[in-house]
């Protein structure tokens, strides 16, 4: 279930990672799975599908950079539109989080 | 290991067209696989077969991604084909129009008038071009853009009529058409708002009545059809009608609110209990 919830927010998570700095597929995939406390197994296909979709929507842009064992890496950078969408998604999540905390934790939510 | 990954990817990517985008994607995946294999080795894993299988497994439903990739490419292809057909149609229509214009000009030798065929034809193309996206805009309720398009269409029609009257007839003061233009634009906007159910219709109707009464008065007076006085009462009448519309709209609004309140009171009656 945890994985399903996260998969629904893959794009927001990727956008968050890219707000810190430009990154590439493997690094982003590793960052997500490492942060998942071994409860997550987000496959590369999911991440690359998200990349394609976000590139189409101009939320991120890709460019080839130096590095990697193959000689060059495809890096991703967040665009201004992406930053805007990330802020909207973040606010949405904070709202949902607050409501769910109230509903599920009730009085324990202090 | 790198060759095994390359062989795997070459085989997998044969199901989609070898576009630059696809090859970039393939190279990107190869980089990820190599990075992941390196990571496993750093962690102390030595069995190449196991590393290879784990790396391939980490790709997940890779085939579905490729299918999506191909579908996206097909869509782009279809869009490009559609754009090509539209471009060819426009080009064909312009060529036909020019041929018609030249033929009419050579046959009649009225070069000073036949250029209207070309200009009005281009206006017609522009109008068709503006009408095409209207259904989508109505669906998306993009009323601001719709009003802009309608204003553009009316302006083009008026300009075409003005040119035809100016060149083909002896009617004087044809420029008066442009004084009537705001009336037509506002009228079209009111009709559009009625069609789309826009809430701005009352304000637009008032603007239409006010503008029409004032401009019709000016046009008729300039054409000496009516004297300037006492027909200045026309715009005043327009203002009076506008006030009546506002008062009626407010009265209807209050009546609706009262009806809603009554329904709520009755609902309270049916749902309240003494104990």
């Amino acid at each position: 279930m945890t994985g399903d919830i996260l998969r629904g927010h893959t794009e927001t998570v990727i956008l968050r990672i890219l707000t810190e700095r430009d990154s590439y597929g493997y690094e982003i995939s590793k960052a997500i799975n490492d942060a998942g406390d071994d409860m997550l197994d987000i496959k590369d296909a999911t991440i690359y599908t998200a990349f394609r979709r976000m590139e189409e929507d101009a939320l991120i842009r890709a460019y080839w950079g130096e590095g990697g064992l193959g000689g060059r890496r495809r890096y991703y950078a967040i665009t201004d539109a992406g930053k805007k969408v990330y802020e909207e998604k973040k606010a949405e999540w904070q709202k949902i989080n607050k409501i769910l905390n109230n509903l599920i934790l009730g009085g324990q939510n202090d | 290991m790198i060759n095994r990954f390359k062989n795997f990817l070459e085989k997998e990517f044969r199901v989609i067209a070898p576009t630059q985008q696809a090859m970039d994607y393939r190279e990107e995946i190869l980089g990820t696989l190599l990075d992941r294999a390196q990571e496993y080795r750093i962690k102390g894993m030595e069995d190449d077969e196991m590393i290879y299988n784990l790396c391939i497994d980490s790709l997940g439903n890779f085939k579905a991604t490729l299918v999506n990739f191909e579908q996206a490419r097909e869509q782009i292809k279809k869009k490009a084909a559609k754009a090509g057909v539209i471009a060819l149609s426009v080009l064909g229509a312009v060529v036909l129009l020019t041929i018609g214009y030249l033929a009419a000009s050579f046959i009649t030798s009225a070069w000073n008038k036949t250029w209207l065929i070309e200009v009005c034809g281009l206006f017609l193309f522009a109008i068709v071009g503006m009408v095409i996206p209207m259904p989508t805009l109505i669906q998306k309720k993009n009323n601001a853009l719709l009003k802009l398009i309608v204003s553009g269409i009316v302006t083009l029609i008026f300009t075409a009529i003005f040119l035809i009257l100016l060149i083909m007839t002896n009617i004087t003061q044809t420029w008066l058409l442009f004084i009537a233009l705001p009336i037509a634009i506002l009228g079209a906007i009111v009709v559009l708002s009625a069609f789309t159910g826009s809430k701005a219709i009352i304000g637009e109707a008032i603007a239409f009545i006010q503008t029409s009464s004032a401009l019709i008065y000016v046009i008729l007076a300039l054409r000496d059809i009516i004297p300037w006085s006492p027909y200045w009462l026309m715009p005043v009448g327009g203002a009076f009608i506008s006030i009546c519309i506002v008062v009626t709209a407010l009265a209807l609004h209050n009546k609706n609110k009262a009806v809603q309140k009554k329904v709520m009171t009755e609902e309270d009656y049916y749902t309240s209990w003494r104990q």
Side-chain angles (χ1 to χ4, degrees), chain A residues 73-102:
Chain A
R73 275 200 181 107
R74 193 167 163 84
Y75 282 86
Y76 292 93
I78 190 166
T79 61
D80 288 341
K83 283 176 190 164
K84 199 179 158 203
V85 167
Y86 169 64
E87 288 303 325
E88 285 169 8
K89 294 281 181 189
K90 191 170 81 173
E92 197 178 278
W93 172 253
Q94 281 167 337
K95 204 173 165 185
I96 292 168
N97 195 27
K98 193 179 165 192
I99 293 167
L100 284 176
N101 274 342
N102 287 337

Side-chain angles (χ1 to χ4, degrees), chain A residues 32-107:
Chain A
I32 295 173
N33 286 313
D34 286 354
D37 290 337
D38 293 330
M39 290 173 74
L40 300 172
D41 184 19
I42 301 294
K43 300 289 185 189
D44 291 343
T46 311
I47 290 167
Y48 284 106
T49 305
F51 282 160
R52 298 278 91 78
R53 209 165 31 227
M54 288 195 291
E55 255 192 292
E56 274 173 26
D57 295 342
L59 303 182
I60 59 170
R61 63 177 177 82
Y63 63 93
W64 288 102
E66 295 299 318
L69 299 164
R72 60 179 194 156
R73 275 200 181 107
R74 193 167 163 84
Y75 282 86
Y76 292 93
I78 190 166
T79 61
D80 288 341
K83 283 176 190 164
K84 199 179 158 203
V85 167
Y86 169 64
E87 288 303 325
E88 285 169 8
K89 294 281 181 189
K90 191 170 81 173
E92 197 178 278
W93 172 253
Q94 281 167 337
K95 204 173 165 185
I96 292 168
N97 195 27
K98 193 179 165 192
I99 293 167
L100 284 176
N101 274 342
N102 287 337
L103 289 170
I104 295 171
L105 299 176

Side-chain angles (χ1 to χ4, degrees), chain B residues 150-174:
Chain B
V150 163
S151 306
I153 292 172
V154 173
T155 306
L156 283 178
I157 292 171
F158 264 63
T159 309
I161 295 171
F162 165 74
L163 288 173
I164 291 167
L165 290 177
L166 187 73
I167 306 297
M168 307 293 283
T169 70
N170 294 322
I171 298 170
T172 56
Q173 292 180 309
T174 43

Side-chain angles (χ1 to χ4, degrees), chain B residues 5-251:
Chain B
F5 285 145
K6 279 182 178 173
N7 288 339
F8 167 78
L9 291 173
E10 275 174 27
K11 194 178 149 204
E12 293 294 318
F13 272 79
R14 278 185 195 280
V15 298
I16 64 169
T19 58
Q20 181 63 46
Q21 212 182 0
M23 293 306 104
D24 282 350
Y25 181 41
R26 194 177 70 169
E27 195 176 334
E28 188 180 4
I29 298 281
L30 175 67
T32 299
L33 289 170
L34 290 172
D35 281 336
R36 184 156 280 130
Q38 180 78 349
E39 177 94 9
Y40 283 127
R41 283 202 188 92
I42 290 167
K43 281 180 181 171
M45 204 178 279
E46 289 174 349
D47 185 347
D48 273 0
E49 190 61 28
M50 188 181 273
I51 291 173
Y52 175 81
N53 288 332
L54 282 170
C55 287
I56 298 299
D57 180 60
S58 70
L59 291 176
N61 193 357
F62 183 55
K63 281 194 170 64
T65 315
L66 286 180
V67 169
N68 286 340
F69 200 82
E70 190 64 0
Q71 279 171 349
R73 199 185 68 88
E74 286 295 323
Q75 274 179 352
I76 292 168
K77 239 169 112 179
K78 277 181 191 167
K79 273 186 188 172
K82 199 176 167 186
V85 169
I86 291 171
L88 271 176
S89 307
V90 170
L91 190 69
V94 171
V95 169
L96 276 177
L97 191 69
T98 309
I99 291 169
Y101 154 65
L102 290 173
S105 304
F106 278 113
I107 291 165
T108 61
S109 295
W111 291 87
N112 59 338
K113 288 179 182 175
T114 48
W115 60 268
L116 276 174
I117 297 172
E118 192 83 21
V119 171
C120 291
L122 290 175
F123 278 11
L124 190 66
F125 291 150
I127 289 169
V128 170
M130 285 193 270
V131 167
I132 288 170
M134 282 181 79
T136 314
L137 293 173
I138 290 171
Q139 263 184 348
K140 288 183 180 172
K141 295 190 176 177
N142 192 341
N143 289 337
L145 195 54
L146 275 169
K147 284 170 193 171
L148 199 68
I149 288 176
V150 163
S151 306
I153 292 172
V154 173
T155 306
L156 283 178
I157 292 171
F158 264 63
T159 309
I161 295 171
F162 165 74
L163 288 173
I164 291 167
L165 290 177
L166 187 73
I167 306 297
M168 307 293 283
T169 70
N170 294 322
I171 298 170
T172 56
Q173 292 180 309
T174 43
W175 54 269
L176 284 173
L177 265 174
F178 290 107
I179 296 183
L181 180 60
I183 304 172
I185 290 176
L186 283 168
I189 287 174
V190 170
V191 172
L192 180 74
S193 291
F195 182 72
T196 57
S198 167
K199 284 179 183 171
I201 191 166
I202 293 176
E204 287 161 1
I206 289 169
F208 171 68
I209 291 168
Q210 200 62 70
T211 311
S212 312
S213 56
L215 294 182
I216 289 172
Y217 160 65
V218 171
I219 292 167
L220 294 177
L222 281 172
R223 294 285 294 173
D224 290 329
I225 295 169
I226 57 168
W228 288 98
S229 182
Y231 281 90
W232 50 267
L233 279 168
M234 271 178 74
V236 176
F240 178 72
I241 294 169
S242 301
I243 291 167
C244 287
I245 289 174
V246 173
V247 170
T248 312
L250 281 173

